[in-house]
Every structure is written in C-alpha cells, then in structure tokens.
Amino acid sequence: MQGHTRVTMEHPGEHSIELYVLRAPDGESEREWIESHLKECAGCSALVDAASSFYAELQVDILTLPAGVPSSSLSLAVTSRRAPAIFESPFREAPLSLVRSGGPVRRFVRAHPFVAGGGGLALLGGLVVLMLTFDLMPARDPRLSSAIENRNSSTLDAYNRQGVKLWSHPVPRLNEFMQIEEGTGRTLVQVADLNGDGMNEVITSLPLSGGDVEEDGEVLHVLNYDNTELLKIKPGETVMSRGRTYPDEFRIGGFSIGDFSGTGKMEIVVLMNHLHSPSIVSRYDAGGNRLGTYRHFGQLTLMGTKPIANGARRELVLYGGSDREEGDYAAVILGLDPSLITGDGESSFSGGFGLPHSAAEQYYALVPPTEVAKAFRSHVQFSSAKAVSLQHEPGFRIAAKAWPDSVSIYYEYIFRADFSIVEVKSSNETKVLFDRLAAKGIVSGGFFDDYMKVVAAEVRYWDGHRWQSRPTPVPN
C-alpha cells in the first residue's frame, strides 16, 4: 500500500549465534547487539537455548569418552543419566556405529540445530577443533536440579536442568533403603535451595560415610552442586522419660523442608525415632541451628515431605503409636504446626518427658482396634499414608493392616485436613473374617456399609483432657 513502509527485523546469522554461544573472540563485536535482539525475538532465543544445550552435551561426551567404546554403550550412558521432570532437548540424537576418530562429532550432527547437508560435518568439525583448541566450550551448568537414587550402581546421582550428571556418590545398601521408601512412602532424598543463594542442594538421610555403622540413618547431609558437604545435622540425643534414660540411639524417620514461618527462609523439620519408643521432631534453621523440639512417647512416621493446608495454617501429619500406658499400644495420628516447634515441648497426651505441652500439637486422633481385630487378638498398625485431594479440598488417607490366622485385616481411613473423617474402606479378605464373626453372632450388619460407618465413628480426638467423638483441636 502506498505511503506505508514494511519494517523487517534483522536477525543474527547462524554463525553469529554459534560464536555467541561459544563466547568466541570473533563474536564479541556483535555480542551486545545479539543480547538486545534476544530480548525481542523468541525464535533466536530458542536457537540460542538449543545451541547451548547441544554444546554442553557435546563437551561432556568428548571429554569423558574412552577410546574404543561402542556406540551402544555411549547411548546407554546418555539415557541413564536423564532425570525425570527436567528439561530435555527437543533434538533427537542419531544412532551410532562404533566410535572412531571424530565419532563424537558425527554423533551430534543430526542433533545440531543449524548443521544440515554434506558440508555440515566439516563445519561442525571445525567448530569442535576451535572449541577444544581455545577452550571455548560453554561451561557445564552447575545448577543442580534433581537427585536420583540409582539402584543398579548403588549411588546417589545429581543432575542439572539439562540432565547432565554433576556428581555421583556411593551409598552402602542403597537397595535396602529404597525398599523402605517404596513400602512406607517415605522420602530419604530431597532437593531444595536451602540457604537461599539461588542454587539447589541435595538433602538426604542416606548413609554417605562409606559403611560407618554409627552414622547409618543418624545424620542428615546437605550436599552442594559439586558434592561438597555444606552441612551435617545429627539430631539424636540422650533423653529422659518416665524415669528411664534413653541413650542416643535415634534414627531419622523422615524430614520436611519449607518456609514454615512465612519469613521467606527455608527450615528443616526432622523426625527421629528411638530404637525402643520415644520420638523427637526437631526444627532447624538453614544453618543447622536447632529452634525447638516436640517429643512423643511412641514411634511416629512422617507422612510425605510437605505440610497439608488446613485453612491458613499448614500442618505436618504424623502417624504411628502411643506407648503412654505400659504394654498398651494405641494407633494415633497427629497434626503439628511446624512454625510452633519452638523451645522444647512434649505431647499433651503421650508425654512424660517433664516438659511443657507443645503449642505445635494441633490435632491428636486415636484409631481404636476394631471388633474384627479384637476378636482375633490383633493390633492393627498403620502401614502407609499420603496426601489426597477430596473434591478440591486437601486431605489424607492412612492404611492400617494386621495379619491374624494368615488372613489380612485391612482398613483405609480417609480424613479431611481438619482431621474429620470422610469414610473408611476395607478389603474382601477382611470381609471373610467379618463373616466368620457374624456367623457366631459377634458382629452384625452389612460389612461394607453398616460396619464401615461404625469403624469411622470409633475415631476419637484428644482435647487436652479427655477423648471426644468429634474433631477437636488440642488447646494451646
């Protein structure tokens, strides 16, 4: 149309982008212009990202490739180091033949975001020679993104966002610890920016001491991107309860990391279980300084790694047993506000440590033995728990099991975040036991309907003085 001028954006050439990514001296004259252009051009930004990922991968393979390694082995190594839930390059790698001179270059030709055609290999080869000669390879991204427990190699492996392995640490008996995680839902490894420096750390209770039994499960390790240990927390201690001394024989039963106080600073909550009975929940700041403890007589398990939302408050859910009365085990569920774990305090129900009641204890629920369990003289114990979504409302479910007469008793209790019970489910095997008792007149009614409502109604809540039938917070 007359009177109008069409303005076309000028884009840097592919060679200029290559030099920009490699930070080559020949490209310095255009660097400022390219950086300004990338703020406005999504297409060129995507090319820079692709080229950066390409050369980072190429650098690792060239510098670590042993002579004479078959291409299938190289492909397997690349595949095994890719961590889930991280960015993966959209460019697929080409299949390989045996590695020969220049093999790493040929391997990446088809993955290269620019190179195509017969002259591509010569161009790319020249670039690789340039990079190796003048050390122009882009630095490997040190920002740690994920950590994987590698059962095959018995190692804990850390990766950056491109899936490049940053380090690998041997873990004695890793398979045993992974089986514990799979059976209980516990997590022994987490990744978080603990100290707020913009770089993630690996936090783990796995034993990294090379087989030192005294450190097996007693220490929380905080590891940097280069596998240096930034922090080591040993929460165990000798405690007194009910006239008995419990020596420092605690093991980490779970931990949670988060901004529990709403201050923008990360904290750590660690659950420690004694070999006999007491449990201690300790809260630490990012520097490993202890802020407070909550003590409970009876072993507990931490559900998941994050608190669940209960209105404006967030609570850690723990489950296990109370040994308040000698020889009288009780299955209990607790809701703790981690921000209120300050100083040393104890459970309002299952204490005995000579400490004041902890304000962190928000809910304390009792799940008594069912008629079926009592008839077979069996304790139903909690086996696993996890957070769930209940029609856009947060909640959690806890499974309880027992095995009398080689037949399984199973119940699944589903709670809202305020600890009110939604329903109880069970299994066909438990119904078989119920039917046997019904034939003797010990129980009555339908199993999946009437009896499940009876089981749900038996849950009790501690109000600081007595048990209540309705969800009741523990008074602070």
Side-chain angles (χ1 to χ4, degrees):
M1 182 181 297
Q2 192 173 11
H4 290 266
T5 302
R6 181 179 179 182
V7 178
T8 303
M9 178 183 291
E10 182 181 0
H11 300 272
E14 294 174 351
H15 180 61
S16 296
I17 290 181
E18 295 271 8
L19 297 176
Y20 171 84
V21 169
L22 295 172
R23 304 191 68 87
D26 291 345
E28 285 301 316
S29 60
E30 294 184 295
R31 174 164 296 278
E32 185 175 344
W33 171 69
I34 291 177
E35 289 177 346
S36 176
H37 175 78
L38 294 177
K39 295 178 182 179
E40 302 177 0
C41 181
C44 288
S45 295
L47 284 175
V48 168
D49 289 342
S52 298
S53 298
F54 167 82
Y55 284 116
E57 287 282 329
L58 180 58
Q59 178 192 29
V60 172
D61 281 280
I62 290 177
L63 299 180
T64 61
L65 181 65
V69 176
S71 62
S72 58
S73 300
L74 180 58
S75 299
L76 181 61
V78 171
T79 302
S80 66
R81 71 161 176 254
R82 288 178 181 162
I86 60 175
F87 171 81
E88 291 191 6
S89 170
F91 303 102
R92 300 180 62 87
E93 295 174 333
L96 302 173
S97 58
L98 290 180
V99 175
R100 300 180 180 87
S101 176
V105 175
R106 295 186 182 91
R107 175 174 178 266
F108 283 90
V109 169
R110 297 180 190 177
H112 192 277
F114 307 129
V115 176
L121 182 59
L123 172 60
L124 183 56
L127 285 169
V128 170
V129 171
L130 175 66
M131 291 184 297
L132 293 178
T133 302
F134 296 100
D135 194 22
L136 297 178
M137 281 287 196
R140 181 174 60 175
D141 187 354
R143 289 171 292 181
L144 194 151
S145 176
S146 61
I148 306 297
E149 296 163 271
N150 191 327
R151 181 178 261 122
N152 293 330
S153 61
S154 293
T155 57
L156 177 62
D157 302 334
Y159 295 83
N160 66 11
R161 292 184 299 174
Q162 283 73 41
V164 177
K165 185 186 294 185
L166 299 178
W167 52 259
S168 183
H169 199 115
V171 180
R173 308 188 322 282
L174 177 61
N175 186 55
E176 296 178 21
F177 291 101
M178 293 183 69
Q179 289 177 352
I180 292 174
E181 289 179 301
E182 294 160 0
T184 64
R186 288 166 49 189
T187 300
L188 304 181
V189 180
Q190 296 183 50
V191 173
D193 180 7
L194 188 60
N195 53 18
D197 64 353
M199 301 284 283
N200 286 330
E201 291 83 39
V202 174
I203 304 94
T204 180
S205 58
L206 290 171
L208 303 179
S209 58
D212 184 356
V213 177
E214 293 183 357
E215 196 177 288
D216 195 351
E218 297 182 2
V219 175
L220 195 67
H221 301 272
V222 179
L223 304 175
N224 206 353
Y225 69 93
D226 59 358
N227 202 18
T228 57
E229 188 166 62
L230 296 181
L231 189 64
K232 180 185 289 188
I233 300 175
K234 191 176 187 297
E237 60 182 288
T238 298
V239 299
M240 291 286 298
S241 180
R242 303 166 188 239
R244 297 180 181 177
T245 300
Y246 293 87
D248 185 5
E249 296 177 349
F250 286 85
R251 297 290 184 271
I252 295 177
F255 60 95
S256 178
I257 301 169
D259 177 14
F260 302 124
S261 302
T263 61
K265 296 181 179 180
M266 302 294 276
E267 297 175 344
I268 310 172
V269 171
V270 185
L271 167 66
M272 300 291 291
N273 286 317
H274 195 269
L275 297 179
H276 295 286
S277 185
S279 288
I280 302 177
V281 181
S282 299
R283 174 179 164 220
Y284 296 86
D285 65 17
N289 302 301
R290 193 168 70 178
L291 305 176
T293 64
Y294 166 87
R295 306 188 185 201
H296 180 272
F297 201 73
Q299 290 200 353
L300 300 172
T301 299
L302 178 65
M303 184 192 78
T305 61
K306 301 297 180 185
I308 63 172
N310 183 10
R313 189 171 58 246
R314 297 182 68 79
E315 295 170 352
L316 293 171
V317 176
L318 299 98
Y319 60 96
S322 166
D323 295 328
R324 172 174 170 167
E325 304 297 334
E326 188 72 27
D328 187 14
Y329 175 90
V332 297
I333 310 168
L334 289 67
L336 298 183
D337 183 340
S339 69
L340 297 179
I341 303 178
T342 56
D344 292 326
E346 65 176 37
S347 168
S348 63
F349 176 74
S350 192
F353 300 89
L355 300 171
H357 293 167
S358 173
E361 191 177 74
Q362 301 295 304
Y363 287 94
Y364 197 99
L366 170 71
V367 178
T370 64
E371 290 298 323
V372 174
K374 289 189 289 187
F376 286 93
R377 296 184 176 87
S378 178
H379 281 299
V380 176
Q381 298 184 344
F382 296 128
S383 58
S384 63
K386 73 174 184 177
V388 296
S389 177
L390 306 171
Q391 296 180 346
H392 308 294
E393 179 183 7
F396 59 95
R397 68 169 182 82
I398 295 186
K401 296 181 180 180
W403 294 269
D405 294 351
S406 300
V407 180
S408 173
I409 295 177
Y410 175 85
Y411 297 101
E412 184 176 288
Y413 295 81
I414 302 174
F415 293 86
R416 298 181 182 90
D418 64 1
F419 274 61
S420 60
I421 192 162
V422 178
E423 63 176 331
V424 179
K425 300 180 180 181
S426 191
S427 64
N428 290 328
E429 284 186 295
T430 309
K431 183 179 183 302
V432 171
L433 300 180
F434 178 86
D435 292 341
R436 286 165 57 182
L437 297 176
K440 298 178 181 179
I442 300 175
V443 295
S444 61
F447 177 71
F448 288 110
D449 297 320
D450 301 334
Y451 186 64
M452 289 299 99
K453 294 179 182 178
V454 171
V455 172
E458 290 176 342
V459 176
R460 293 291 181 265
Y461 304 88
W462 183 249
D463 69 357
H465 302 284
R466 61 187 63 86
W467 293 107
Q468 303 290 342
S469 60
R470 294 184 177 182
T472 306
V474 177
N476 295 323

